Amino acid sequence: MHVLITGGAGFIGSTLGMVLLERGDRVTVIDDLNDYYDVTLKESRLERLNQSAEFRFLKMDIADRAGMADLFSSDAFDAVVNLAAQAGVRYSIENPAAYVDANLVGFGNILEGCRHSGVGHLVYASSSSVYGSNTKLPFSEQDSVDHPISLYAASKKANELMAHAYSHLYQMPTTGLRFFTVYGPWGRPDMALFKFTKGILEGTPIPVFNQGQMVRDFTFVDDIVEGVRRIIDQPAKKSEEQNTASQSISAPWRIYNIGNSHRVQLMDYISALEKALGKKAVLELLPMQDGDVPATEADVTSLEADFGYRPQIRVEEGIQRFVDWYREYYQA
């Protein structure tokens, strides 16, 4: 297959690119290499991909309507995986325009490109943040997601609705994946594991929100990518039964949770990291942040039933793999 990965210099995108190249696909990556976090890390991820002759990189912003139209008209993609987005719940409070440009305008350009060029399957990143302040665990795709508590979450819910409209109008297969707290080697510096590791090694306090009373469904990146790989190969189909919150009788459109399906206390996560580093953390206990939620857990029964998805990596192993990578990459 020829697969376009948007945001392919990112954490999940570059890991997915490696897997697709290893199985023999052609991979085109676009990324604007913005400075939301260290551009050098993004370039290092691209260097890994560039070892393959079947890899191509184009520096491009998905919000560039003319550029995106040219890309889709000049090349043929069997599948598109949209992982380009302005990420981060807290940053959406400070800089909402970045989310409108990337997550709404940019996603619209991707939908248009897929429509006009006859792409066989669009797989795109949604987020567990769409569940807002829901308190029933685990989160199910059938739960209400009508009350987002951050612009980031609202933009991801909007992506799901936009995709349904295109799937309905143009019979274009789209699958949205609600990611749950992805971590692992080559991760994002703005995420907790990265910040905690850096702080512990430097002996500086690490920020622990809600006084540490947080629960997350931490999901190792290899498990996420294995799920995405399986989904790419099976385009969404119309429901044969009825409309639900995650499938449609009028459109080849599906929504899935993709997570580890195992809740972990934040303090246990920190303890596992302390063990892997061989050093205790200095904790800075802080109140809950605006837009954040106290607990997440994914119900992945639909993904398991339809794709045989079964996460393999427990948190202790995943954290050790991250620490090993971090020490090597940063010579720490």
Side-chain angles (χ1 to χ4, degrees):
M1 298 176 70
H2 185 191
V3 182
L4 171 66
I5 305 175
T6 70
F11 171 33
I12 300 172
S14 61
T15 308
L16 175 64
M18 291 293 292
V19 168
L20 296 182
L21 289 168
E22 286 168 2
R23 78 171 192 177
D25 291 333
R26 277 200 301 147
V27 173
T28 295
V29 157
I30 63 172
D31 200 296
D32 67 353
L33 299 180
N34 66 54
D35 61 359
Y36 173 64
Y37 64 82
D38 180 18
V39 175
T40 303
L41 177 59
K42 299 178 182 182
E43 292 171 341
S44 295
R45 295 178 184 136
L46 290 174
E47 286 175 15
R48 294 198 307 154
L49 296 168
N50 205 34
Q51 304 305 309
S52 171
E54 297 301 312
F55 170 73
R56 177 180 61 153
F57 171 67
L58 301 170
K59 186 177 180 182
M60 184 179 297
D61 185 346
I62 60 170
D64 175 1
R65 180 172 293 125
M68 292 295 289
D70 288 345
L71 172 67
F72 279 97
S73 64
S74 64
D75 216 330
F77 303 108
D78 299 300
V80 174
V81 183
N82 178 45
L83 299 170
Q86 180 56 59
V89 169
R90 296 177 190 121
Y91 187 62
S92 70
I93 298 170
E94 304 167 19
N95 191 1
Y99 293 76
V100 173
D101 292 344
N103 300 8
L104 299 177
V105 175
F107 189 65
N109 291 338
I110 290 165
L111 288 169
E112 275 290 275
C114 290
R115 168 169 84 100
H116 288 295
S117 60
V119 168
H121 192 196
L122 168 62
V123 181
Y124 62 94
S126 184
S127 168
S128 62
S129 68
V130 300
Y131 290 106
S133 53
N134 288 12
T135 56
K136 179 185 70 67
L137 295 178
F139 294 154
S140 164
E141 295 96 339
Q142 307 313 316
D143 294 341
S144 170
V145 290
D146 293 333
H147 302 96
I149 60 174
S150 71
L151 181 63
Y152 173 68
S155 72
K156 290 302 186 178
K157 171 66 184 294
N159 287 172
E160 296 176 2
L161 298 175
M162 293 163 73
H164 185 274
Y166 270 74
S167 292
H168 172 80
L169 290 169
Y170 309 114
Q171 297 304 300
M172 185 176 86
T174 65
T175 301
L177 299 176
R178 293 173 177 169
F179 292 123
F180 280 71
T181 316
V182 188
Y183 74 101
W186 299 96
R188 291 202 337 250
D190 63 315
M191 296 194 72
L193 183 57
F194 219 106
K195 289 181 177 178
F196 291 171
T197 300
K198 186 173 186 290
I200 292 171
L201 288 174
E202 293 176 351
T204 57
I206 64 173
V208 181
F209 295 106
N210 199 32
Q211 313 299 318
Q213 300 303 305
M214 305 277 269
V215 175
R216 287 290 181 270
D217 192 337
F218 294 103
T219 314
F220 193 67
V221 65
D222 289 8
D223 285 330
I224 288 282
V225 165
E226 174 58 21
V228 176
R229 183 194 66 77
R230 295 182 183 211
I231 291 159
I232 290 170
D233 297 339
Q234 297 186 47
K237 297 178 181 177
K238 296 180 186 178
S239 169
E240 297 179 356
E241 300 171 356
Q242 61 182 347
N243 284 329
T244 70
S246 62
Q247 59 184 4
S248 171
I249 59 173
S250 69
W253 171 89
R254 291 299 304 264
I255 298 292
Y256 292 98
N257 288 334
I258 183 165
N260 195 46
S261 193
H262 182 72
R263 68 184 80 168
V264 176
Q265 295 286 339
L266 179 59
M267 297 308 295
D268 291 340
Y269 192 70
I270 293 171
S271 294
L273 178 57
E274 290 174 326
K275 182 178 179 181
L277 290 169
K279 190 174 182 182
K280 296 292 288 184
V282 179
L283 306 181
E284 182 183 6
L285 299 177
L286 298 169
M288 180 75 86
Q289 292 274 286
D290 288 341
D292 214 344
V293 299
T296 67
E297 183 187 4
D299 178 345
V300 296
T301 51
S302 292
L303 199 61
E304 182 176 337
D306 292 351
F307 297 96
Y309 172 78
R310 291 182 182 84
Q312 302 294 318
I313 308 300
R314 295 189 60 81
V315 160
E316 294 78 10
E317 180 184 349
I319 286 177
Q320 186 63 62
R321 290 196 197 181
F322 172 82
V323 166
D324 292 344
W325 167 80
Y326 187 97
R327 287 188 181 280
E328 179 180 0
Y329 184 78
Y330 289 103
Q331 298 297 295

